[in-house]
Amino acid sequence: MAGGRGRPGWHRVLRVDIERALAADAGEILTVQRAAYVSEAQLYGDPFIPPLVESVEQVRKAVEGGIVLKAVDAGRIIGAVRGRQTGTTCLVGRLVVAPDRQGHGLGTALLGALHEQVPAATAFDLFTGHLSGGNLRLYRRLGYRETHRERMDEHLTLVHLRREQIPGLPPQTPRG
């Protein structure tokens, strides 16, 4: 990805800037998150999944305590992803793209930017629901491999995935 605006850590994808989120972005990120997760709630028949009941204060704390990247188009936040490094592993969470912007490579760009933001990480771990076929395809295409499954209840099994990374080498985001 080419750097946007000449600033380190920025990326341009289809006229979209990817940059570090600020605490002041928490409300808008939460709005995108809720819009993005409605389809997941419908898929699993559960309107109370954690991304839908998270508060603005919780999002603000995530921004202040970890790496949160946002995708911005013409001043509008249209996507985000979170990362939290523990040891040499980066825990990835809440990859979200506004419903009207899904399917245009923003999820791939956000994850690629996160991989670049945590060069010391030897692995990136995340999870998604077993019925979330689009998410699973995206993660597998980006080099994530299933490590295990965790049954949460009768309608939800979490699929845990990991992407290994060689320290000291620039992260590679597979294409395809």
Side-chain angles (χ1 to χ4, degrees), residues 23 37 40 88 91 102 138 142 161:
Y37 272 96
E40 292 290 299
T88 59
L91 305 175
Q102 293 176 3
L138 170 66
L142 295 178
L161 300 110

Side-chain angles (χ1 to χ4, degrees), residues 20-43:
R20 290 289 288 259
L22 306 171
D25 297 321
E28 194 172 354
I29 289 170
L30 182 58
T31 299
V32 172
Q33 177 177 302
R34 287 180 175 166
Y37 272 96
V38 165
S39 60
E40 292 290 299
Q42 292 170 334
L43 184 61

Side-chain angles (χ1 to χ4, degrees), residues 1-132:
M1 285 178 240
R5 298 189 191 180
R7 299 181 193 173
W10 285 53
H11 301 278
R12 294 286 292 167
V13 177
L14 305 172
R15 299 182 335 255
V16 174
D17 291 312
I18 297 177
E19 60 192 73
R20 290 289 288 259
L22 306 171
D25 297 321
E28 194 172 354
I29 289 170
L30 182 58
T31 299
V32 172
Q33 177 177 302
R34 287 180 175 166
Y37 272 96
V38 165
S39 60
E40 292 290 299
Q42 292 170 334
L43 184 61
Y44 294 98
D46 184 357
F48 301 106
I49 60 176
L52 292 180
V53 297
E54 190 170 35
S55 70
V56 171
E57 186 56 35
Q58 288 170 310
V59 175
R60 188 174 295 111
K61 285 181 182 177
V63 170
E64 293 170 345
I67 298 168
V68 179
L69 302 179
K70 63 183 178 179
V72 181
D73 183 14
R76 173 186 169 212
I77 295 176
I78 58 172
V81 66
R82 299 180 194 181
R84 185 171 45 87
Q85 190 165 353
T86 61
T88 59
T89 300
C90 180
L91 305 175
V92 179
R94 304 283 200 270
L95 174 63
V96 297
V97 175
D100 66 317
R101 300 301 295 269
Q102 293 176 3
H104 299 285
L106 290 173
T108 298
L110 282 162
L111 274 176
L114 181 63
H115 296 157
E116 291 177 9
Q117 286 287 314
V118 193
T122 59
F124 290 82
D125 289 349
L126 56 77
F127 62 84
T128 191
H130 71 290
L131 298 177
S132 302

